[in-house]
Amino acid sequence: MRIGHYVAHWSKGGLENYVRRLATTQVEAGHAVRMLLLSGTPGIDGAEETSVADDGSALADAAQDLDVLHLHYAVPPAVYDAVPGIRTLHVHTSYCPSGKKFLARDGRPCDRPYNRLTCLASHVTQRCGSLKRANLRRLFGQTRHDYDARHRALWHAISTFQVEWLRRTGYPEARTRLILHAGPEPREVMPPPAEGLPRFAFVGRLSKVKGADWLLRALAKTTAPLHLDVVGDGELSGRLPTLADELGVADRVTFHGWVEPGDVAGIVAQARAVLGPSLWPEPAGLTALEAAANGRAFVAGASGGFLDSVVDGETGLLVPPGDDAALAAALDRLAGDYDLAVRLGAAGSERAASQFRWADHVAAMGALYAEAARTHAPALAR
């Protein structure tokens, strides 16, 4: 099969890691893979790279000889007339211009259906996203592109949360497919240390939506002896140590900053559980699968993709996003119950290995590609 991947501006991140993994597997399976980009160089062995001048006619011209075009960003609807296309929702852009479904000022997920005027007002009152004119035009344009193409593309949702919001926004259920992301390859893991002070690890971007400040507030409410390791950087990097001082927990948390992947594994190995205190609805909840691959229990806010990747009380603990007392109680529970932490981690590892297999994900995507090629009818799409 001749497969194209459109990734717009290639950089380093979770989206690019997924595309690299998928494209590499497709090349190894004997498919002809073409990377189409506005900028950047993926450097994927065996894949052709084509630079395009724009995400409209130039992209359509460069993709017209493909069997299917896998789009990882929004594009003008006419592109889907040129080639069978599937659109993966890596964030929430298709029904939310900010891509976050998060009301920043209120610090909670957004439950408002997409409406151009309402969403524009929220950008002003809730600081949902940038207020610069060029950024607003780009963000709202992406959502409009996807919405206008709702009857032309096949929509690949990566969580049940996304499926629900596509439905609520008016995307046709008949063209929506739920294919969950896969976890890392299974690996041999050791249980967490049984002796010493229980440690908990947060690994991620230090931002409002990722809940790093919520985590510190919860830490201040815990009663069990425990220590928190915070790995990562971001816009809250300078603020969090000050907040820890203000909350009186500075001696109970270590801020590691950005850490090499090999060193992250060492920190996680010493942890009793991994934490995902996101306030926004994570599109996929992949950090839970990373924790499972390491045999660690996972504690997270109960929203978005975490509702797919975590089974509350079986593979981890879910709490209401933003609830300081509930998150503190979950930390205290695991700090005081080593056997529970081990049991949750082992169950998560087994579930990830059986239900989130990479081979199954690749097969499902292949079936979606074949469906897109088989049902492509641009004349009817109009």
Side-chain angles (χ1 to χ4, degrees):
M1 189 176 235
R2 294 166 299 175
I3 302 168
H5 288 279
Y6 174 66
V7 194
H9 306 283
W10 188 272
S11 58
K12 294 181 179 180
L15 184 159
E16 288 80 10
N17 290 339
Y18 166 75
V19 176
R20 179 181 297 278
R21 188 182 185 189
L22 182 58
T24 298
T25 302
Q26 291 165 344
V27 169
E28 292 172 348
H31 298 289
V33 177
R34 183 182 306 162
M35 309 299 298
L36 299 120
L37 312 108
L38 297 179
S39 66
T41 304
I44 299 172
D45 290 343
E48 176 188 349
E49 293 184 10
T50 299
S51 177
V52 295
D54 58 63
D55 61 4
S57 59
L59 174 62
D61 289 343
Q64 61 183 346
D65 64 328
L66 298 172
D67 294 314
V68 66
L69 177 59
H70 190 162
L71 295 136
H72 303 277
Y73 285 85
V75 298
V79 172
Y80 297 98
D81 291 344
V83 61
I86 70 165
R87 169 82 164 94
T88 293
L89 280 61
H90 294 282
V91 288
H92 304 299
T93 310
S94 300
Y95 41 81
C96 170
S98 75
K100 298 175 182 176
K101 286 301 289 178
F102 182 71
L103 301 174
R105 180 164 287 176
D106 288 350
R108 62 179 177 84
C110 176
D111 58 0
R112 305 169 183 174
Y114 168 69
N115 175 277
R116 185 175 180 275
L117 293 179
T118 300
C119 291
L120 183 59
S122 288
H123 270 67
V124 175
T125 61
Q126 287 290 339
R127 296 297 189 267
C128 296
S130 172
L131 291 177
K132 293 182 179 179
R133 180 173 299 180
N135 289 336
L136 283 173
R137 185 180 299 111
R138 176 179 56 84
L139 294 171
F140 279 79
Q142 289 176 345
T143 301
R144 172 54 63 181
H145 281 338
D146 276 349
Y147 185 76
D148 287 348
R150 64 192 183 280
H151 296 290
R152 308 188 190 198
L154 284 178
W155 301 92
H156 168 208
I158 60 178
S159 64
T160 53
F161 177 90
Q162 290 185 332
V163 171
E164 173 62 17
W165 275 99
L166 286 172
R167 183 192 65 79
R168 291 182 63 177
T169 309
Y171 288 75
E173 293 184 37
R175 301 193 66 81
T176 300
R177 304 290 181 271
L178 173 63
I179 303 175
L180 300 177
H181 274 330
E185 294 298 329
R187 65 191 70 158
E188 184 178 357
V189 297
M190 298 293 292
E195 305 298 329
L197 190 66
R199 303 184 79 94
F200 293 80
F202 169 89
V203 181
R205 192 172 74 253
L206 303 186
S207 66
K208 181 69 175 179
V209 297
K210 291 291 186 178
D213 50 348
W214 172 34
L215 179 55
L216 291 184
R217 291 195 300 271
L219 178 65
K221 293 181 179 295
T222 58
T223 58
L226 61 92
H227 194 84
L228 175 64
D229 289 292
V230 176
V231 179
D233 54 18
E235 59 264 35
L236 295 183
S237 294
R239 166 62 179 155
L240 290 177
T242 301
L243 179 60
D245 278 333
E246 294 171 352
L247 294 170
V249 297
D251 59 337
R252 303 177 67 197
V253 57
T254 299
F255 295 99
H256 296 269
W258 187 88
V259 172
E260 293 285 349
D263 294 328
V264 172
I267 294 171
V268 171
Q270 294 301 310
R272 184 166 293 193
V274 176
L275 311 177
S278 293
L279 294 170
W280 76 312
E282 291 278 355
L286 285 175
T287 50
L289 300 180
E290 292 280 355
N294 287 281
R296 294 299 179 264
F298 193 73
V299 181
S303 69
F306 286 142
L307 298 176
D308 296 306
S309 57
V310 180
V311 181
D312 187 32
E314 294 184 21
T315 67
L317 301 176
L318 296 175
V319 301
D323 189 326
D324 299 352
L327 181 54
L331 296 177
D332 279 335
R333 184 180 177 188
L334 290 178
D337 194 337
Y338 175 80
D339 290 340
L340 174 62
V342 172
R343 187 165 66 251
L344 294 177
S349 182
E350 292 175 6
R351 182 171 183 261
S354 62
Q355 299 185 32
F356 293 85
R357 298 175 63 245
W358 179 246
D360 293 339
H361 178 84
V362 172
M365 294 306 298
L368 187 60
Y369 288 177
E371 181 184 359
R374 186 177 64 253
T375 60
H376 184 233
L380 298 178
R382 296 189 181 91

